[in-house]
Each structure stands twice: as C-alpha cells, then as structure tokens.
Amino acid sequence: MSSEKKPDCGRRNLVFATAAVGGVATVATAVPFLASMAPSERAKAAGAPVEADISKLAPGEMMRVEWRGKPVWIIHRTKEMLEALGKIAEKVSDAGSKRPMQPEYARNEARSIKPEYLVVVGICTHLGCSPTDKFKTGAESGINADWPGGFLCPCHGSLFDLAGRVYKNMPAPDNLEVPPHYYLSDTRILIGEDKKA
Ligand code: FES
C-alpha cells in the first residue's frame, strides 16, 4: 500500500484513547468526588483485569473485550483453523513465538493455553492500527487463493495468521501481543493477570 493511502493510525488511536478517557471523565463528573466512584469502576480505569464469559462463543467465532483501553480478541478456533497453523509455519516470521515479549504459555504454535482459544491484543505491532478479521479462506478472502484465514491490518497491509503470528516481510515486526490471562473455569477467562501473579 502506498504511503499516500496511509490512514492516520495515530489519530485513530487518539480518538480511541479520548473516547476511553471521556468515559471515565463522564463518571468522574457525574459524582462530585473521585472517592465516590464505585471501586470496580476505579479499578477498571486503573487497568484491573477483566473477565470474559466464553460460554456462548461458538467455534469459528470471535468476541471482543476491552482491557486497559485496548481491544482484546478471543477467537474460538475450529479444528481446521488449528490445522492450518502447522501448514504455514514457513511463511510466518516467529512461528513458535520465541521472542521474549510473550508470556510463556504463548510460546507455542497455537500461541495459547488451550489450543482452541486464542487471546490476543487486537493492535497491530507496526503503528498500532486495529487489524480486521479475515476468516474466509481461499479466493473468497479477497487476499490470496491460498489464504488460510487470519487478520489483515488495512493500514499498511500486514497479515497475521489465526494465531496472531505475523507473516514474513510485513511492515509489522512482531506477532500480536498475547496479554496475561488464565482460565477461571472452562467458560471464563481472566484477562490482565497471570495465574502466578
Ligand atoms: S499499523 Fe501499519 S500495518 Fe498495521
């Protein structure tokens, strides 16, 4: 994609941040003193962990939650989606997620604690735009006939697979970030904290 067509990612993020701050400000204005804010609201504003209920997330679907003002995606991968990960190891730049900024449980091919669920921060590691899910495979995807499904960052064209691994030779230097998280139960994930923390 040419630089003339570059969307203003910085501005987009500023709008997102402003909206988030605006939400907090509204709460703060509605009550006279900060001390009057409900503890949960204060904790949330400070970046407390958030809980995600995945009980209704069907295979092949994705849900979004917000943590520390960032979008976090949870994808329930099908067997076919998982099988595709092994077939494209040569095409991604850090197939085993060995680079050190990932939690220990993300340093595997599926980049997850449970293979069927991927939890990633939906922010491109290039300039911070939010990629678009492109789960349709093949020519229907509008990307390539051999596209196995994944994510496209429309800002400068970075492609990520269904484990958030960046393809080789893309503007984005790294895989999508896996936030600290753990399972409270089979249907609930706590995002923002490791079990050991
Ligand atoms: S922000 Fe540039 S490719 Fe994603």
Side-chain angles (χ1 to χ4, degrees):
M1 189 176 283
S2 73
S3 57
E4 299 82 57
K5 289 186 184 161
K6 276 205 298 199
D8 190 343
C9 296
R11 186 173 180 281
R12 184 182 302 185
N13 287 340
L14 184 64
V15 169
F16 189 70
T18 307
V21 171
V24 173
T26 307
V27 175
T29 311
V31 287
F33 304 105
L34 197 62
S36 306
M37 287 171 75
S40 59
E41 285 301 317
R42 286 166 60 192
K44 207 172 157 192
V50 293
E51 209 176 299
D53 178 358
I54 56 169
S55 59
K56 295 190 173 60
L57 189 64
E61 286 183 356
M62 163 171 156
M63 64 181 275
R64 296 165 179 83
V65 296
E66 187 185 322
W67 168 65
R68 292 190 174 174
K70 301 179 199 172
V72 174
W73 303 335
I74 305 171
I75 297 108
H76 187 170
R77 293 178 291 205
T78 61
K79 198 164 148 273
E80 292 72 31
M81 286 170 152
L82 285 169
E83 279 169 5
L85 300 181
K87 294 179 191 156
I88 55 169
E90 295 296 308
K91 297 185 179 177
V92 297
S93 76
D94 184 15
S97 228
K98 301 280 189 252
R99 291 182 196 155
M101 75 295 182
Q102 302 294 322
E104 196 61 41
Y105 41 81
R107 293 184 198 169
N108 53 58
E109 182 178 87
R111 303 187 72 231
S112 58
I113 299 172
K114 297 186 183 187
E116 62 269 41
Y117 292 106
L118 173 68
V119 180
V120 282
V121 175
I123 295 180
C124 182
T125 55
H126 182 218
L127 292 180
C129 287
S130 195
T132 306
D133 54 283
K134 289 277 182 186
F135 291 172
K136 283 213 166 102
T137 57
E140 259 196 90
S141 65
I143 297 177
N144 275 324
D146 62 353
W147 176 246
F151 303 92
L152 163 70
C153 185
C155 299
H156 316 100
S158 289
L159 293 171
F160 301 87
D161 74 357
L162 286 162
R165 299 179 301 181
V166 68
Y167 276 70
K168 287 177 179 167
N169 307 315
M170 293 289 149
D174 285 308
N175 296 340
L176 298 179
E177 177 193 350
V178 173
H181 67 281
Y182 68 92
Y183 287 80
L184 295 166
S185 71
D186 281 350
T187 55
R188 289 184 309 139
I189 303 177
L190 193 71
I191 294 159
E193 204 170 277
D194 282 321
K195 209 161 195 171
K196 290 174 277 178

